[in-house]
Amino acid sequence: DGGITQSPKYLFRKEGQNVTLSCEQNLNHDAMYWYRQDPGQGLRLIYYSQIVNDFQKGDIAEGYSVSREKKESFPLTVTSAQKNPTAFYLCASAVGGGTGNTIYFGEGSWLTVV
Amino acid sequence: GESVGLHLPTLSVQEGDNSIINCAYSNSASDYFIWYKQESGKGPQFIIDIRSNMDKRQGQRVTVLLNKTVKHLSLQIAATQPGDSAVYFCAENIGSNYKLTFGKGTLLTVNP
C-alpha cells in the first residue's frame, strides 16, 4: 500500500528525555512536513523539507530537530528543550511545493510527557 | 499577518440535511485552498481543493465556493451522513510557498 507511515502511534516520554518520531513515505514525494496539533486546535508547522538533505524551520521549531537523509524518511526528534511536548504530531508529504500540490497526512503520533 | 479562521467552531445538523462550513482568510495573495476532514485521533484527509482562478468546484457530495472579494471560503456537504461527523479544516497556500496555513477547524456533528 502507498502512503505515509508514522510510528509509534503512542509514545510516553519522561521529562528530560529526547524522543524520535518516525515518518516514512513511499509516495515518491519530494516535500515532507511535521505539524503539531494541540487538542481543539489547528495544525502548526514545526519543520519542513523540500528535498533530501535540506530542511527549514516552521513556525514552532524551537525544541525540535529533524533530518532528511533519505527521500522517504523524515524523522522528528522532540528534545528536552521542548517544554510542552504533549501533543498529537502529524507528518505529511507532497509532490513538491507550489500551488496545487496537495499535502497528504499520516495517521499521527500521540506524545505524552509523564 | 496571514491567518485562516472559521466563523463557527461547531455545527450540528440532522442526517440528510445539507451542511455549510465557512472559512475566512486574510491574505489576498493566497492562491490555493484545501478542505480537510479529520476524524478523532486520525490524520486529516483531503476532501477538495480550489485554486484562486475558480469560484466553485464540485466533488462527490461536496462543493467548495470561493469568494475572493470578501476572502471567504465555504464547504457544502449535501445529504449529510453520520460518517461526515468530524472536524473540518480549511487551509491556504501562497504561490510557491511550501507551507499550508490552517484554520482552527469546525466540529460537524450529524444527528441521526
Side-chain angles (χ1 to χ4, degrees):
Chain A
D1 289 342
I4 303 168
T5 302
Q6 290 186 236
S7 63
K9 179 69 175 178
Y10 301 96
L11 184 61
F12 296 89
R13 189 195 91 171
K14 293 182 180 179
E15 288 193 17
Q17 285 184 335
N18 293 351
V19 293
T20 297
L21 306 180
S22 170
C23 180
E24 302 280 329
Q25 54 98 0
N26 60 4
L27 302 169
N28 201 33
H29 286 173
D30 288 314
M32 295 188 74
Y33 307 78
W34 275 105
Y35 285 87
R36 169 181 172 142
Q37 186 176 31
D38 293 285
Q41 300 295 315
L43 282 67
R44 293 185 291 169
L45 182 65
I46 305 172
Y47 269 97
Y48 64 104
S49 168
Q50 301 173 14
I51 198 169
V52 175
N53 293 322
D54 183 62
F55 49 84
Q56 284 78 42
K57 293 182 179 180
D59 301 317
I60 55 165
E62 184 175 354
Y64 299 98
S65 66
V66 293
S67 62
R68 188 84 188 279
E69 297 177 0
K70 298 186 295 183
K71 186 176 186 178
E72 59 270 24
S73 180
F74 191 41
L76 172 74
T77 297
V78 184
T79 75
S80 57
Q82 170 51 239
K83 298 307 178 185
N84 186 24
T86 296
F88 188 47
Y89 290 88
L90 287 158
C91 178
S93 70
V95 171
T99 300
N101 285 314
T102 304
I103 292 178
Y104 294 93
F105 287 86
E107 287 299 293
S109 293
W110 290 93
L111 174 62
T112 303
V113 173
V114 297
Chain B
E2 298 178 34
S3 69
V4 178
L6 293 164
H7 292 305
L8 296 173
T10 61
L11 177 64
S12 183
V13 300
Q14 291 298 122
E15 182 178 358
D17 287 351
N18 296 335
S19 303
I20 300 176
I21 301 171
N22 297 303
C23 178
Y25 64 96
S26 61
N27 195 325
S28 57
S30 296
D31 54 10
Y32 178 57
F33 304 88
I34 308 173
W35 280 101
Y36 287 92
K37 172 187 179 182
Q38 186 178 28
E39 297 176 344
S40 181
K42 296 186 177 180
Q45 296 173 281
F46 171 86
I47 301 174
I48 192 168
D49 59 0
I50 188 168
R51 303 188 187 202
S52 59
N53 61 354
M54 303 171 68
D55 297 321
K56 178 180 179 179
R57 190 166 189 216
Q58 288 183 295
Q60 187 176 10
R61 283 202 305 119
V62 295
T63 300
V64 55
L65 299 177
L66 176 62
N67 186 330
K68 295 180 286 296
T69 302
V70 295
K71 295 196 282 288
H72 183 267
L73 191 70
S74 68
L75 176 70
Q76 299 179 2
I77 305 174
T80 313
Q81 303 168 1
D84 295 326
S85 294
V87 176
Y88 290 81
F89 292 96
C90 63
E92 62 177 326
N93 179 255
I94 301 172
S96 60
N97 188 333
Y98 277 71
K99 300 190 294 182
L100 282 179
T101 300
F102 285 84
K104 291 187 177 181
T106 292
L107 173 62
L108 174 66
T109 302
V110 182
N111 302 309

